[in-house]
Amino acid sequence: MSIEANKQLVEQFFESSNAGDLESSIGLIADDIEWTEFGTTSLAGTHRGIQELQEKLLGPLFSQLKQGIHMEVRRLIAEGDTVVAETRGTAETLDGRVYNNTYCWVITIRDGKFSKVTEYSDTELVASVFD
C-alpha cells in the first residue's frame, strides 16, 4: 500500500470507532496483531492476537466507558509501512469521571490491516481513572 493509503486506513479506523462501528474498526486489525499499550498500568502490556487484545485491553477498557473514546486525529506522519498518529481522546466513565487523554500511536500496516501498534498516552491519567 502507498503511504497515502496507509494514512487513509488509519483515518478510517478512527472514523469507524468514533461512529460506534466497532466491527469495521476491528476488521482493520490483523488476526495476529501485536498491540503494545505502553506503561505499567493494569491495561499495559503487549497483547498478541485479536482475541487477546479484546479480552485483556479493549473489553476491560470499554466496559468502563459510557460511549467509548472519541478520537480527534491531530496529525498523521507516515513513512513506508508505518503511520504515526497524534490524537486527542475524550470519554466519560460509567460513574461520570472524565477521561480525556492525548495519544501517540505508532502503527505498522501489513496487507491493509494494522499488524503492530504501540500506543503511548498519559499513563498517570490512565492509572488514576482505571486502576
Side-chain angles (χ1 to χ4, degrees):
M1 292 178 62
S2 71
I3 289 173
E4 282 308 310
N6 288 341
K7 288 170 71 174
Q8 289 174 352
L9 184 77
V10 171
E11 287 178 352
Q12 181 183 355
F13 174 82
F14 288 117
E15 287 170 5
S16 297
S17 296
N18 288 344
D21 185 358
L22 299 181
E23 186 176 328
S24 292
S25 295
I26 295 295
L28 297 174
I29 300 172
D31 290 339
D32 62 346
I33 184 73
E34 182 179 302
W35 189 299
T36 300
E37 182 79 15
F38 190 76
T40 58
T41 70
S42 62
L43 298 172
T46 298
H47 310 289
R48 290 179 176 82
I50 193 73
Q51 183 175 348
E52 183 176 312
L53 176 66
Q54 289 178 309
E55 290 174 359
K56 294 188 177 179
L57 176 62
L58 302 179
L61 174 63
F62 288 104
S63 69
Q64 298 180 64
L65 299 173
K66 286 185 179 178
Q67 296 182 335
I69 302 173
H70 183 273
M71 288 290 179
E72 172 194 351
V73 177
R74 295 193 166 172
R75 182 173 18 175
L76 295 175
I77 302 167
E79 181 177 291
D81 63 358
T82 302
V83 178
V84 177
E86 179 185 356
T87 66
R88 177 75 176 150
T90 55
E92 184 178 351
T93 64
L94 295 174
D95 61 3
R97 290 177 288 157
V98 173
Y99 176 68
N100 299 338
N101 207 335
T102 301
Y103 301 84
C104 179
W105 312 71
V106 180
I107 304 161
T108 303
I109 310 292
R110 183 186 73 234
D111 299 327
K113 295 192 175 200
F114 290 22
S115 64
K116 185 174 182 179
V117 174
T118 304
E119 179 183 341
Y120 301 90
S121 64
D122 178 346
T123 56
E124 186 173 336
L125 177 61
V126 173
S128 72
V129 173
F130 299 109
D131 285 352

